Amino acid sequence: WHSSYDYNKPSFPDDLTSLQGVAVSNSPLRTGGSPNNRFRSALDMFDRPPRHSEARGKSLSYSHQQTLMPHFIDQQAHDSVSSRSSTQRRKKDGGSNCAGRNGGRNRKGGSGRRSRRGGKNKGGERKVSNGRSGRQSSGHSMEISAIGIGSKMHVSWVEVFGTAKTAHVSLEDVAKRKMIVGLAMDQYGSRFIQQKLEKAPASHKEVAFEQIYPHTLRLCTDVFGNYVIQKLFEHGTHEHKRILASCLKGNVLALSLQMYGCRVIQKAIDVLNLDEKADLVHELRDHVMKCVRDQNGNHVIQKCIEKVPPSNIQFIIDSFKDQCMKLAMHPYGCRVIQRLLEHCSSEQRDTILSEIHEFSQMLSRNQYGNYVVQHILIHANAEHRAHVMRSFRGSLVKLSKHKFASNVIEKCVTHATRNERDSLINEMLGEDELDSASLPFMAMARDQYANYVVQRLIEVVDPEQRQYLIQRIQRHLPYLSKLPYGKHIIATIEKAQGSNF
């Protein structure tokens, strides 16, 4: 609409001359020279049809438009400069900085192992290190020196204390004014209470607790209030913890399935004594599968496995009967299986693995199941590892070239015994009389995933096995050096052998 604009049309009010640096005449809008496209773009908003948002009743009044126009102009200029600078950075870097996001495994300029993992660690270790589900809210244990103007408690706080500052205010001060619950459900107030609970004397904690515990369930499910309850579990007296635990009884399942409530249940399981946490966990006895398949509840089950003795969570193992294979391929179930492999007793582990072993290859090719098989190789005993190794015999090349199974084969290489590595090396090298192009080793060296298995094998074998491997591929090195990933394999050999290669 720039090209069709009639600049002689007097469509702007006279008081627009008040705009900074803009001179308005009866003819084209100018800033001394030819019309400036950026000013023109900003000012023409007064003489065009309303935007969709304006048509929905959100249009600004003229006075607001006049006030915001200089900012609009500056913002357009800023956005334009930012866009140009980011484009220049991308060109300079040769494209978007994918390696920075994916991190780590794009070794030696290769294709990048992260590509086969889909970027997100969906089935592996939980990304939230403290075990809480979901994103950490901004209400969690951040230093605060004032109740900000964005807080719903800001006005009342200033009226009561004369300033937004918090340093001179104690828990007892706000408790006397019946402000504790309101602050607990406020972004700034929640941080204030958390900080004070860490260092407050027992008498101050007591007066605060008396106002909080009648509202325990309400605060447990609040985006900011849940952190206050967690902090009371951490820094409250034993009596406080006992009363809070009694408030949770009868509501453990509902809280476990709630985004914020599940964090409180996990904290309770963390800090309560064995009898108290056993009482809470018992409420989930008939609802294990419902929790495991829930995006919040699965974290509670994991916490039970981590913090409650195996004898007290046998009901979880019983619930998994004839379901282990399906759960191993579930985005949340696979995490629970991994925790069981880490923390349960040998008998419980045998029960789970007896169902999984016959499906090792299928699980290795699954985007979630492959993490379970990797965990077996890491945490199970030698007998179970050997069972997995045998199930892969004869399928080394095929599985190494698979997006997910290649991760499992790499774990096999890392945790294999010396005899098992001999078998892997022989299967990878094939027959002596094969030409370079027909070697299984070269098929793996050509592949975007399998080449990492080869590199890992070279890194972990003992010197004698590595020397045998090098002797077998010596005459094929010219062919290997021409492959896309062959140079990386040669570089790995050079690094491992040093001057002997």
Side-chain angles (χ1 to χ4, degrees):
W1 45 269
H2 281 274
S3 59
S4 62
Y5 188 84
D6 183 4
Y7 286 97
N8 292 316
K9 178 181 177 182
S11 55
F12 300 97
D14 293 334
D15 58 357
L16 284 179
T17 54
S18 62
L19 292 177
Q20 297 177 1
V22 181
V24 180
S25 65
N26 290 331
S27 59
L29 298 172
R30 301 178 181 275
T31 57
S34 59
N36 182 295
N37 286 337
R38 194 164 308 288
F39 285 112
R40 189 192 315 163
S41 174
L43 296 175
D44 285 354
M45 54 192 292
F46 291 96
D47 196 44
R48 60 173 175 79
R51 296 173 297 186
H52 292 299
S53 61
E54 295 169 351
R56 291 196 296 266
K58 296 182 180 179
S59 59
L60 298 171
S61 65
Y62 168 71
S63 60
H64 288 165
Q65 288 173 328
Q66 181 179 347
T67 304
L68 295 176
M69 233 169 38
H71 169 73
F72 175 85
I73 295 169
D74 293 341
Q75 186 62 41
Q76 268 204 335
H78 171 75
D79 291 346
S80 177
V81 171
S82 299
S83 177
R84 287 198 302 273
S85 61
S86 76
T87 302
Q88 289 167 356
R89 283 197 302 272
R90 285 197 298 271
K91 289 181 178 178
K92 182 178 179 180
D93 296 338
S96 59
N97 190 10
C98 294
R101 289 195 306 275
N102 294 335
R105 299 307 294 272
N106 192 2
R107 296 180 289 189
K108 303 181 180 69
S111 64
R113 165 169 285 120
R114 295 292 292 185
S115 62
R116 79 168 182 259
R117 291 178 178 166
K120 296 182 180 178
N121 193 7
K122 291 182 180 178
E125 298 296 329
R126 288 167 295 172
K127 291 191 174 183
V128 182
S129 60
N130 60 7
R132 297 186 180 101
S133 66
R135 295 174 58 188
Q136 289 295 339
S137 165
S138 58
H140 180 57
S141 65
M142 294 177 63
E143 292 297 326
I144 180 172
S145 59
I147 302 297
I149 196 169
S151 167
K152 62 185 179 182
M153 298 294 293
H154 174 78
V155 174
S156 58
W157 182 280
V158 172
E159 288 176 353
V160 171
F161 298 109
T163 176
K165 303 287 187 183
T166 61
H168 67 291
V169 181
S170 68
L171 273 179
E172 188 177 40
D173 293 333
V174 295
K176 287 178 180 178
R177 293 163 175 83
K178 308 296 183 184
M179 298 173 68
I180 289 287
V181 176
L183 288 170
M185 300 176 69
D186 175 73
Q187 180 177 359
Y188 294 88
S190 176
R191 296 177 192 167
F192 167 79
I193 295 176
Q194 291 174 64
Q195 289 177 22
K196 296 299 182 181
L197 282 173
E198 292 177 358
K199 301 177 181 179
S203 59
H204 290 193
K205 292 179 182 178
E206 185 64 35
V207 294
F209 180 78
E210 288 176 359
Q211 292 187 27
I212 288 173
Y213 88 85
H215 305 275
T216 298
L217 294 179
R218 179 184 174 195
L219 293 175
C220 283
T221 58
D222 182 76
V223 61
F224 304 118
N226 78 90
Y227 291 109
V228 173
I229 301 298
Q230 290 182 61
K231 194 63 70 171
L232 275 172
F233 269 117
E234 284 187 66
H235 297 281
T237 65
H238 178 73
E239 183 64 16
H240 293 164
K241 296 175 185 179
R242 186 191 63 78
I243 294 173
L244 288 175
S246 67
C247 292
L248 300 181
K249 288 181 180 178
N251 299 281
V252 175
L253 176 62
L255 291 172
S256 297
L257 301 178
Q258 205 269 341
M259 179 182 295
Y260 307 116
C262 73
R263 303 176 183 181
V264 175
I265 297 298
Q266 290 175 74
K267 180 61 69 174
I269 294 172
D270 259 333
V271 303
L272 293 176
N273 63 43
L274 179 57
D275 292 336
E276 291 169 335
K277 68 176 67 177
D279 287 342
L280 295 182
V281 169
H282 182 78
E283 292 189 27
L284 302 177
R285 179 177 296 272
D286 298 324
H287 310 282
V288 173
M289 297 306 293
K290 183 175 183 178
C291 290
V292 168
R293 293 190 171 102
D294 182 78
Q295 62 178 341
N296 302 310
N298 79 89
H299 292 287
V300 174
I301 298 298
Q302 291 182 65
K303 184 64 70 173
C304 293
I305 296 168
E306 292 171 359
K307 296 295 182 179
V308 180
S311 58
N312 292 85
I313 57 167
Q314 180 61 37
F315 68 91
I316 296 179
I317 307 297
D318 296 338
S319 300
F320 282 14
K321 186 176 181 181
D322 299 326
Q323 299 289 327
C324 289
M325 195 270 289
K326 292 181 180 178
L327 289 174
M329 295 191 292
H330 189 274
Y332 306 135
C334 72
R335 301 175 184 177
V336 178
I337 296 288
Q338 290 173 64
R339 300 292 86 74
L340 285 170
L341 293 175
E342 292 171 1
H343 299 283
C344 65
S345 66
S346 298
E347 294 77 11
Q348 292 170 334
R349 188 179 293 116
D350 290 341
T351 301
I352 295 169
L353 293 178
S354 63
E355 292 188 28
I356 290 177
H357 274 323
E358 61 180 302
F359 304 104
S360 294
Q361 280 210 30
M362 182 175 70
L363 291 175
S364 297
R365 292 191 292 268
N366 182 265
Q367 63 176 333
Y368 305 117
N370 79 89
Y371 292 105
V372 172
V373 183
Q374 290 182 61
H375 246 62
I376 295 172
L377 293 167
I378 296 171
H379 294 281
N381 58 31
E383 180 183 351
H384 291 301
R385 280 199 297 271
H387 195 291
V388 174
M389 298 280 188
R390 287 194 298 271
S391 69
F392 294 156
R393 192 170 295 165
S395 303
L396 174 66
V397 177
K398 180 177 67 175
L399 293 174
S400 296
K401 294 167 72 173
H402 191 275
K403 181 177 183 179
F404 303 116
S406 58
N407 292 296
V408 178
I409 298 301
E410 197 170 324
K411 283 293 187 299
C412 286
V413 168
T414 302
H415 296 279
T417 64
R418 191 181 193 284
N419 290 336
E420 289 168 340
R421 283 179 187 149
D422 280 337
S423 299
L424 292 172
I425 291 171
N426 290 330
E427 185 174 346
M428 182 174 68
L429 293 175
E431 301 295 333
D432 282 335
E433 59 270 13
L434 293 175
D435 62 3
S436 296
S438 302
L439 279 177
F441 177 89
M442 294 303 172
M444 295 173 69
R446 284 192 295 266
D447 186 76
Q448 60 177 329
Y449 306 129
N451 79 89
Y452 287 109
V453 176
V454 176
Q455 293 182 56
R456 176 61 66 188
L457 183 62
I458 293 169
E459 290 170 352
V460 301
V461 294
D462 62 39
E464 183 181 346
Q465 291 173 320
R466 189 182 299 115
Q467 193 61 39
Y468 170 73
L469 177 62
I470 291 171
Q471 289 174 355
R472 287 286 306 272
I473 66 172
Q474 192 80 39
R475 67 186 180 90
H476 304 289
L477 287 179
Y479 181 85
L480 179 62
S481 64
K482 296 176 183 178
L483 299 179
Y485 310 104
K487 295 178 181 178
H488 310 319
I489 294 173
I490 292 174
T492 303
I493 297 175
E494 290 175 341
K495 182 178 178 181
Q497 283 293 95
S499 58
N500 295 329
F501 180 58

